[in-house]
Each structure stands twice: as C-alpha cells, then as structure tokens.
Amino acid sequence: MASVLVTAAIPQAAMDILQQAGLDVESYTGDALITKDELLKRIVGKDYLITPLSTQVDQDVIDADPQLKLIANYGAGFNNIDVAYARKHDIPVTNTPKVSTVSTAEVTTGLIISLAHRIVEGDKLMRTKGFAGWAPLFFLGHELAGKTLGILGMGQIGQAVAKRMAAFDMHIIYTQRHPLDAATEGQLNATFVTLDELLAQSDILTIHAPLTPETHHLIGAPQFKQMKNSACLINAARGPVIDEAALLTALHDHELAGAALDVYEAEPNVDDGFKQLENVILTPHVGNATVEARDAMAEIVAKNTVRMAQGEEPLHVVN
C-alpha cells in the first residue's frame, strides 16, 4: 500500500480523499511545527509528502527517502522546497495556486483600509485610555478616494486587489516584468509604470510579487527614499521581498507614514521594533486563512497525491 506523510494538520476533506483512495496516511499532529529531525525520521519509506509552506524540505529531507515520488506543497508559494534538487531526482513538486486569490485580496483590502483610517490604532486606544469625545482635529486618517495605489506584481492576486480598490475610486498603477495585455489593463483601469515611477507615485504600495532570487530585498533603503513620506506599505506576499531592517529605519525616520505586514522576513519571528510602532499593523500570515481557501487547498494536495498513486500526472507542477 502506498504511503503518505502529512506534516501538519489539514482539513479533514483531504484526509477523506486520501483514505478513500486506499492510501496509508501518517499525520504529524504536534502543536508546534514539525522539526527537521522529526521530519527526517518520519519521511523514511514514504511514497508521497504533503507539507505546508512553513516546513522546509531541503536536500537532506529528499535524500532521506529514496522512494519519494511527490512533494505536494500546501500553499501557493513553494520557496520552502528545494525544487531544483527535487527535479534532479525526478520528484514533481506541486502547489495550490489560484484558490488563495480571493482571500488574500480581501485581507489586503482590509489592511489598506485599516491603515488609512487608523482602525487598529483606534481599537487599541478604546481598549486602554479611551477618548475625551469627538473633536474636529482628533485622530485623523486619510480617505482612499483619489489616491494612487501602486501594485508590485500584477498576477491574479494583484489584479483582484486592483478590482476591489478601484471601487474606492483609487488610481491604479502597477509594475512587473512584463505589462498586461491592453484589454486586461482596460478592464482594471490600471497603468503600467516602471518600478521607479511606482515608488515615486504611490500613496499606498502593496506587494504581490513572488519570492525569487531577483525579488529578494527588492524593496529596501534606496526604494524607501524614493517613496512619499506620506505613503504606506502593505505586504501580504512574502516577507523577504522587503528588507525589514531598512523598513524599520524608514518608519523611524518618517520616510514612510505606515506599514501593514502579514508576512515576515524571518517568519514566524517579528522584529520587536515593529511592535512598538502605532502606525504598523501586524497580522499572523492570514492572507488565505479562510475555511473556503484552506478547504480548496486541501482538495488540491489530496487529489494530486491520488493522481500520482493511480499513475496519472499531478496538476500544478512547479518544477
């Protein structure tokens, strides 16, 4: 009987699919993330691996299980896996694209609104000292209407954010390696610009680029100096796209007005400096943390595993 190692608790729907296909499923159910030592011990003799993007699957892990036939990553990203080494060993690596789009776009929209209108900051105030009453100049935020939203990475999530924020009467600009086709740009009412233009013009800059060697620390000290002092930065993509030390300095030096982060450079660790700033919103990587998105992700990894077990090619292979 073919065997599967699942290295984190995932929705029961996935377990049902695997078991109904007659696969022998072993699940790690610890409260903390699985350690590398535990993973190395459990992976031996398994045919298929289902793992979340919080688990590192490196050369040691791949070497520990010569009969490994599939790595099904539970997440749209896959920078936690040595995909090149897996390819060298003829092991397909799959991800769960598209199903995170709506949730991540909604979270990004929420962060933009919350930062502009100081909603989280206001909640903290009301839970502590409260306020003396309504006053004309008290606790002012900024309207989004008429402001410029800059999107770094106009893939599915970036486009979904553009559609939502256009409803707030924001001017949409974007940059990525290649511009969208004219029809899509027209539908989104979005304008392609260079990175330098994006930085200089954006009132809100939101990151939706994948993490690659080219995008690592793409936004750092030189880029923050190009941005408006009144601008805010949102990151619900991947932490290392931003140089967090440079971001913290920029916030302290008032080169930026605020930031909202759902992902972190040394995740799950967060620099304590961000926790001290009232103009920073911190959320625990909840971009796709909805029942709907996580169920859909579970179905993808389970069905891909079953496809492999039945001699079919898996879907969404990234290597």
Side-chain angles (χ1 to χ4, degrees), residues 148-152 173-175 193-207 217-233 241-242 255-256:
T148 297
L149 175 66
I151 301 177
L152 176 58
I173 60 176
Y174 76 97
T175 198
V193 296
T194 66
L195 177 58
D196 288 342
E197 290 170 329
L198 189 84
L199 295 167
Q201 296 176 26
S202 296
D203 296 300
I204 304 284
L205 174 63
T206 181
I207 310 295
H217 281 191
L218 179 62
I219 305 299
Q223 288 72 39
F224 295 133
K225 293 184 184 304
Q226 292 178 260
M227 296 176 67
K228 301 176 183 179
N229 292 347
S230 58
C232 291
L233 177 70
V241 174
I242 294 174
E255 291 179 347
L256 292 179

Side-chain angles (χ1 to χ4, degrees), residues 101-180:
T101 298
V102 170
S103 180
T104 306
E106 290 180 352
V107 166
T108 300
T109 299
L111 291 174
I112 293 170
I113 298 167
S114 296
L115 197 57
H117 288 274
R118 304 174 67 183
I119 292 173
V120 174
E121 194 179 345
D123 179 79
K124 291 178 182 177
L125 176 69
M126 295 308 295
R127 293 174 187 273
T128 51
K129 65 181 182 180
F131 76 125
W134 186 93
L137 300 180
F138 174 68
F139 217 77
L140 301 181
H142 290 278
E143 295 180 3
L144 295 169
K147 304 297 194 302
T148 297
L149 175 66
I151 301 177
L152 176 58
M154 199 61 137
Q156 291 177 334
I157 294 173
Q159 291 180 40
V161 171
K163 288 169 60 178
R164 285 156 176 76
M165 298 316 300
F168 286 79
D169 297 322
M170 296 195 76
H171 174 54
I172 311 295
I173 60 176
Y174 76 97
T175 198
Q176 57 185 8
R177 187 174 298 177
H178 302 292
L180 299 170

Side-chain angles (χ1 to χ4, degrees), residues 238-269:
R238 289 291 178 266
V241 174
I242 294 174
D243 181 342
E244 280 191 1
L247 173 59
L248 193 54
T249 298
L251 289 165
H252 275 298
D253 292 348
H254 305 291
E255 291 179 347
L256 292 179
L261 306 175
D262 186 48
V263 290
Y264 306 92
E265 189 168 353
E267 195 167 313
N269 299 314

Side-chain angles (χ1 to χ4, degrees), residues 36-86:
K36 183 173 181 177
D37 286 344
E38 184 73 14
L39 178 55
L40 287 170
K41 180 174 66 176
R42 288 177 178 251
I43 192 67
V44 176
K46 299 299 188 296
D47 296 292
Y48 313 111
L49 174 63
I50 295 176
T51 189
L53 56 82
S54 54
T55 298
Q56 297 297 313
V57 182
D58 58 15
Q59 295 185 17
D60 294 338
V61 175
I62 293 170
D63 286 341
D65 186 18
Q67 71 186 61
L68 187 63
K69 301 177 181 67
L70 172 72
I71 303 171
N73 210 42
Y74 189 95
F78 45 88
N79 50 287
N80 58 308
I81 297 171
D82 191 332
V83 293
Y85 195 71

Side-chain angles (χ1 to χ4, degrees), residues 237-304:
R238 289 291 178 266
V241 174
I242 294 174
D243 181 342
E244 280 191 1
L247 173 59
L248 193 54
T249 298
L251 289 165
H252 275 298
D253 292 348
H254 305 291
E255 291 179 347
L256 292 179
L261 306 175
D262 186 48
V263 290
Y264 306 92
E265 189 168 353
E267 195 167 313
N269 299 314
V270 182
D271 192 307
D272 286 338
F274 290 113
K275 301 176 185 178
Q276 311 306 317
L277 298 175
E278 293 293 336
N279 59 340
V280 174
I281 298 173
L282 305 171
T283 52
H285 201 152
V286 295
N288 63 14
T290 60
V291 172
E292 295 84 358
R294 296 289 170 86
D295 280 352
M297 293 163 67
E299 185 174 322
I300 290 173
V301 295
K303 287 186 174 180
N304 263 339

